[in-house]
Amino acid sequence: MDDMPDTLDPSSPATTHCFHCGETIPTGAVYPIHFMDKDEPGCCRGCQAVAQTIIDSGNADYYRLRTDLPKTPEAALEELKQLKLYDLPEVQQSFVKSEGDIREANLILEGIVCAACIWLNERHLRQLPGVLAADINFSTHRARVRWDNSRIELSNILQAVQEIGYLAYPFDAGRQEELFRKERDTAIRRLAIAGLGMMQVMMYAIPLYLARSNTMTLDIEALMRSASMLLTTPVVFYSAWPFFQGAWRDIKLKRAGMDVPVALGVGAAYGASVYATFTSGSVVYFDSVTMFVFFLLTGRFLEMNARKRSAEAAESLVKLIPAATIRLPNWPDSREEEIAVAAKLTPGDHVLVGPGESFPADGRVADGESSVDESLLTGESHPVHKQDGSSIIGGTINLSSPLVVKVEKIGADTVLSGIVRLLDRALAEKPRLALAADRIASWFVLALLIVAATVATYWYFISPERAFWITVSVLVVSCPCALALATPVALTAAMGRLTRMGLLSTRGHALETLAHATDFVFDKTGTLTTGEFSLVEVRTVRGDRETVLALAAGLEQGATHPVAVAIRNAAEQAGLDASQIRYLAGQGVEGVIDGQRYRLGTPTFISVEPPPFPMDLTLVGLADETGIMAWFGLGDELRPQSAELVASLKSMGVRLHLFSGDRTDNVLALAGRLGIEDARGGMLPESKLDAVKALQSAGAIVAMTGDGVNDAPVLAQAQVSIAIDQGAEAAQAAADMVLLSSELSRLADGVKVARKTQGIIHQNLAWAAIYNALAIPAAAMGYVTPWMAGIGMSLSSLLVVLNALRISHSGRHNPT
């Protein structure tokens, strides 16, 4: 709402308006709301219940902090009838992520109008038994809620939001777009009123400026001033109203926000001009007020659109899943039916996806052969060939031929939903530069108010007729917004750029740390090599080839490591049943088969020195309690872009290290081919961890890249860590970034983007500092008029945003 009734202040005298919603109280209605040791009037039982719930739950400060009114309870009660539907599993599957009884969902909140609303909703949700976390993004009105479904259901959470006067819905890209459209339309209306008012006021102001002394009669001058006042009033009380709302909120929260000097400047200039109009004072500032508001709204409108563009890469991901798809209900029967993806699609369904269409869910190809564009998700520059059994990522695009896909994961369980959740987490975490800029901006406004008061006092004694407009100029010309925008806009643009490249940032600090990384540590298998092993040679010491392979396959029956897969694939018969299996990360596995204990793993693990093998093979030994039985030599190919990656990083001055659990000879041979000086083999996870700690103690900022379970501790220790998407989930969980693309050179591109981002952030901060250092003294000395100050402030913020957008507009293959 744009009009705020006086009942927003709990300390105001009793009125005929409802304490909660502000509506007029019907005659005879008695619904008291007990607040601060007295009864406040309520208009109906609904408002009484809502208000008393807020107060009794310990959130009474909401009525002191809010700057606008909530939605009426009738809207909430209408929605309440539908809430239980959201507890149905078939409904939740499209937007809820489940891990046992632990659930997580993104919601959209309607009715959010100020920071007090965010504070109230977060606090109210976190107090609910069973709610584990609740975080709300003010910019998008998007809430991420995590709860224990055995203690509280989603409908209870939605109802709790409605009990305090708001509406919550499952996140939907279309609904969010609609909310942004409404916000944009409102901004355009405010801007249009300010623009029309400015033009009309200038029509009356110019004759006053051009008229010679005593050539305009007093009644005509008074008429023009009155007309200017009438035209300026809607500009101040409609177009500039958000500034007054923000300033009032900041004052209630006892902080000096960025809207405070703006509201002071506009309010003071307008008030002084109205006073001068009625008292025939010497000077009015209606033209300066309308120009300032117009230019400031123009700048903020352009900022809003620029910020949306900077986040488009991340936001566009949620729109990749199609709304409808063709299901084959009786596959392999060819009968088709069109269904809504969110409502009807379930795991196990078969869907038909034609050329040019998006896949509705994750799954596997059941029939057909085609190529798929995965560039929006993985950054792959070339189409990926798919055939029977190939995995499919929901949201990617089929290019050439129809494919029948068996659905495996839908809704919140898909790869795409996981990426969006990680991006949300990264954007919610502020890096050190952003936190520092926020602290500086908050103190900056307080310092500015002190400077403005000092300037007003000085000019009052030097030149009283100039004191007022000079003070207004000082309040208006400063730009703490540029300081606050310098970091987050650049980071948002950079994360979107990296996402398009196939390098997903999952932590807020990752980009900043990657830019300063001095040392890159690589694992060998699955990182610099493909990790797709094949059995090249078998040397038996006791027993025949089939027997030792069957024993080895039995020990590796549940493992997902590339070595285990290669051994199982090479076994000519099924693996023997093994029990008491025990895995030692980075070393091997041991277990019991037919009462005999066996060990399979590295030479160190089985405590036997291996015979000579070609240097490019990875060795695995099989031994029983009496000694060695066989050696397996496995080959692994170098990733096509490993050499390019190493060369690029070295050219940027990064020191490179290769730490691997493979044979030392094997590791040194690979390092020699790539040009990596520091290469170490035969390392256990503990020794890798110690080696990284040693680098850090010497002052290195370490970036670690790995893919296996045994890499997880080292990834967690490094200042910034990058997991390979095809690797183990434990590695990805410990990592700050995930390489979704198979193009390894994207890591070097990521470093270039990170460094460019840091450069742009420093440019933005430097510009904000230089601008304020020059503009504020100039205004204090009387060289800047209020309308000029408005232009300067708007352009300063806009320049920061446009500079950050240079990251987004970098060429696809030219991140610098």
Side-chain angles (χ1 to χ4, degrees):
M1 297 183 185
D2 292 323
D3 298 318
M4 291 170 53
D6 51 8
T7 52
L8 285 181
D9 186 357
S11 63
S12 64
T15 69
T16 58
H17 293 92
C18 177
F19 174 73
H20 176 71
C21 72
E23 298 292 331
T24 302
I25 297 178
T27 304
V30 181
Y31 299 101
I33 299 167
H34 192 67
F35 176 74
M36 294 180 66
D37 298 323
K38 64 178 181 179
D39 288 334
E40 299 288 351
C43 67
C44 64
R45 194 175 302 279
C47 278
Q48 181 190 43
V50 169
Q52 213 60 60
T53 298
I54 293 174
I55 295 167
D56 294 344
S57 64
N59 297 317
D61 278 352
Y62 165 68
Y63 290 105
R64 180 176 64 83
L65 299 175
R66 68 175 179 173
T67 60
D68 213 325
L69 296 173
K71 285 186 176 289
T72 59
E74 286 78 7
L77 292 174
E78 183 64 27
E79 289 291 324
L80 191 59
K81 301 174 184 177
Q82 307 296 326
L83 292 186
K84 282 295 179 182
L85 294 175
Y86 291 124
D87 293 332
L88 299 175
E90 59 267 30
V91 175
Q92 288 193 1
Q93 68 182 11
S94 64
F95 67 94
V96 174
K97 173 69 175 177
S98 302
E99 298 174 1
D101 285 332
I102 306 303
R103 309 287 171 84
E104 181 179 315
N106 282 333
L107 307 175
I108 294 179
L109 267 63
E110 289 192 12
I112 299 291
V113 294
C114 64
C117 300
I118 299 292
W119 173 85
L120 174 65
N121 278 277
E122 286 186 340
R123 180 166 175 173
H124 187 64
L125 287 173
R126 290 168 183 169
Q127 289 175 341
L128 297 175
V131 172
L132 307 178
D135 299 287
I136 303 172
N137 186 310
F138 180 63
S139 298
T140 61
H141 298 176
R142 196 152 125 195
R144 187 177 64 189
V145 182
R146 189 174 175 86
W147 72 96
D148 184 345
N149 204 60
S150 65
R151 299 172 61 195
I152 188 171
E153 293 187 318
L154 179 59
S155 60
N156 303 130
I157 296 173
L158 300 181
Q159 182 178 350
V161 173
Q162 294 188 357
E163 285 175 351
I164 56 174
Y166 299 85
L167 296 177
Y169 308 95
F171 171 74
D172 175 77
R175 188 185 291 267
Q176 187 181 48
E177 192 67 29
E178 176 66 16
L179 291 177
F180 174 77
R181 187 190 63 78
K182 289 180 179 179
E183 180 186 358
R184 185 175 180 273
D185 289 346
T186 300
I188 290 174
R189 285 195 297 271
R190 295 187 192 278
L191 185 59
I193 295 297
L196 289 171
M198 178 190 69
M199 290 188 290
Q200 295 299 318
V201 169
M202 289 304 298
M203 290 177 62
Y204 292 105
I206 289 175
L208 291 174
Y209 289 140
L210 298 180
R212 296 180 181 178
S213 180
N214 299 323
T215 60
M216 181 178 290
T217 60
L218 292 178
D219 58 335
I220 296 298
E221 182 177 352
L223 178 63
M224 290 191 170
R225 286 188 173 188
S226 298
S228 296
M229 180 182 68
L230 290 175
L231 291 166
T232 303
T233 298
V235 174
V236 172
F237 290 100
Y238 177 70
S239 296
W241 187 246
F243 303 123
F244 292 106
Q245 279 185 311
W248 182 240
R249 177 191 68 231
D250 291 336
I251 291 170
K252 281 194 168 187
L253 292 172
K254 297 180 180 179
R255 67 182 186 188
M258 299 175 192
D259 287 327
V260 172
V262 174
L264 282 175
V266 171
Y270 175 76
S273 300
V274 171
Y275 179 80
T277 299
F278 286 108
T279 60
S280 300
S282 58
V283 182
V284 294
Y285 304 97
F286 294 123
D287 56 333
S288 294
V289 169
T290 54
M291 290 179 71
F292 167 56
V293 172
F294 175 74
F295 287 129
L296 189 58
L297 288 176
T298 299
R300 292 201 173 183
F301 179 74
L302 294 174
E303 285 172 27
M304 179 180 69
N305 285 284
R307 286 198 302 270
K308 187 173 188 300
R309 284 199 303 272
S310 71
E312 276 180 352
E315 289 298 322
S316 64
L317 292 177
V318 300
K319 303 175 185 177
L320 294 178
I321 297 293
T325 190
I326 301 297
R327 181 169 64 181
L328 305 175
N330 300 314
W331 169 258
D333 183 6
S334 59
R335 185 170 71 85
E336 302 177 1
E337 62 179 9
E338 186 172 13
I339 61 167
V341 171
K344 298 285 187 70
L345 193 63
T346 59
D349 284 346
H350 288 81
V351 294
L352 176 64
V353 181
E357 297 177 355
S358 298
F359 293 97
D362 293 355
R364 292 193 177 274
V365 176
D367 184 49
E369 188 171 346
S370 183
S371 55
V372 173
D373 181 3
E374 298 182 347
S375 59
L376 282 175
L377 286 177
T378 67
E380 294 287 354
S381 57
H382 301 291
V384 181
H385 180 72
K386 302 291 182 180
Q387 58 187 10
D388 286 5
S390 297
S391 62
I392 294 293
I393 302 175
T396 56
I397 301 172
N398 186 17
L399 294 179
S400 53
S401 303
L403 288 177
V404 175
V405 175
K406 183 179 180 180
V407 175
E408 294 181 343
K409 294 181 180 179
I410 61 171
D413 295 325
T414 62
V415 170
L416 180 62
S417 294
I419 291 173
V420 172
R421 281 195 299 273
L422 291 174
L423 277 176
D424 283 343
R425 184 178 71 181
L427 290 170
E429 297 176 354
K430 287 189 174 183
R432 289 168 297 178
L433 268 177
L435 294 172
D438 286 348
R439 287 194 297 269
I440 293 171
S442 62
W443 285 105
F444 178 90
V445 175
L446 183 61
L448 172 69
L449 297 176
I450 296 173
V451 169
T454 304
V455 168
T457 304
Y458 172 81
W459 280 102
Y460 179 79
F461 291 105
I462 299 300
S463 180
E465 68 279 3
R466 302 179 66 195
F468 181 77
W469 71 261
I470 289 176
T471 304
V472 170
S473 295
V474 170
L475 287 170
V476 169
V477 79
S478 64
C479 194
C481 298
L483 279 172
L485 290 170
T487 301
V489 177
L491 288 175
T492 302
M495 286 184 184
R497 176 84 181 96
L498 290 175
T499 301
R500 290 196 299 272
M501 290 165 43
L503 184 58
L504 177 65
S505 181
T506 67
R507 296 289 182 184
H509 75 88
L511 206 64
E512 181 181 1
T513 311
L514 183 64
H516 296 107
T518 60
D519 292 67
F520 251 83
V521 175
F522 292 100
D523 176 45
K524 171 183 167 288
T525 304
T527 304
L528 293 178
T529 64
T530 62
E532 297 174 357
F533 282 97
S534 59
L535 186 62
V536 176
E537 186 176 351
V538 178
R539 295 187 188 178
T540 59
V541 178
R542 288 184 288 119
D544 56 42
R545 175 188 172 95
E546 289 186 6
T547 300
V548 296
L549 277 174
L551 289 169
L555 293 171
E556 296 281 22
Q557 58 186 325
T560 59
H561 189 277
V563 170
V565 174
I567 289 176
R568 289 201 303 269
N569 290 340
E572 297 176 6
Q573 63 185 60
L576 301 174
D577 290 335
S579 61
Q580 301 179 33
I581 294 177
R582 186 169 69 97
Y583 292 96
L584 278 78
Q587 300 181 61
V589 59
E590 66 177 7
V592 175
I593 298 177
D594 294 333
Q596 178 73 34
R597 181 167 296 278
Y598 296 92
R599 303 187 104 196
L600 179 73
T602 65
T604 303
F605 179 62
I606 62 173
S607 303
V608 178
E609 187 67 26
F613 266 81
M615 290 182 60
D616 59 346
L617 294 184
T618 296
L619 291 189
V620 175
L622 173 67
D624 58 15
E625 293 175 330
T626 61
I628 187 70
M629 294 184 65
W631 291 100
F632 305 99
L634 297 105
D636 186 14
E637 294 184 2
L638 191 68
R639 282 184 183 263
Q641 296 181 325
S642 294
E644 181 184 345
L645 169 65
V646 169
S648 296
L649 291 176
K650 291 178 74 173
S651 69
M652 288 185 275
V654 178
R655 295 185 293 268
L656 304 180
H657 312 267
L658 178 57
F659 296 167
S660 175
D662 201 357
R663 286 195 302 159
T664 301
D665 290 346
N666 220 355
V667 174
L668 292 176
L670 179 66
R673 289 174 59 188
L674 294 175
I676 299 176
E677 288 79 12
D678 182 17
R680 312 177 199 182
M683 300 184 76
L684 300 177
E686 295 80 6
S687 55
K688 287 185 183 181
L689 192 62
D690 291 340
V692 168
K693 288 180 178 178
L695 290 174
Q696 292 171 328
S697 63
I701 299 175
V702 176
M704 172 69 193
T705 305
D707 77 317
V709 173
N710 60 322
D711 293 320
V714 195
L715 289 168
Q717 175 63 33
Q719 282 98 331
V720 61
S721 51
I722 305 158
I724 305 299
D725 182 49
Q726 293 87 351
E729 290 186 8
Q732 295 181 37
D736 303 310
M737 307 181 86
V738 178
L739 181 65
L740 302 175
S741 173
S742 63
E743 299 178 16
L744 204 59
S745 61
R746 294 297 189 186
L747 289 178
D749 293 341
V751 175
K752 293 175 184 176
V753 170
R755 291 184 177 183
K756 180 176 181 178
T757 302
Q758 290 302 299
I760 285 179
I761 289 174
H762 291 136
Q763 291 169 13
N764 286 346
L765 292 173
W767 162 251
I770 293 170
Y771 167 80
N772 285 294
L774 295 176
I776 293 176
M781 290 186 287
Y783 297 130
V784 180
T785 61
W787 69 268
M788 292 169 60
I791 295 176
M793 180 181 182
S794 301
L795 290 179
S796 179
S797 296
L798 186 58
L799 182 64
V800 164
V801 175
L802 293 177
N803 190 37
L805 286 179
R806 292 195 296 120
I807 302 170
S808 297
H809 295 158
S810 300
R812 180 181 178 86
H813 296 288
N814 181 23
T816 60

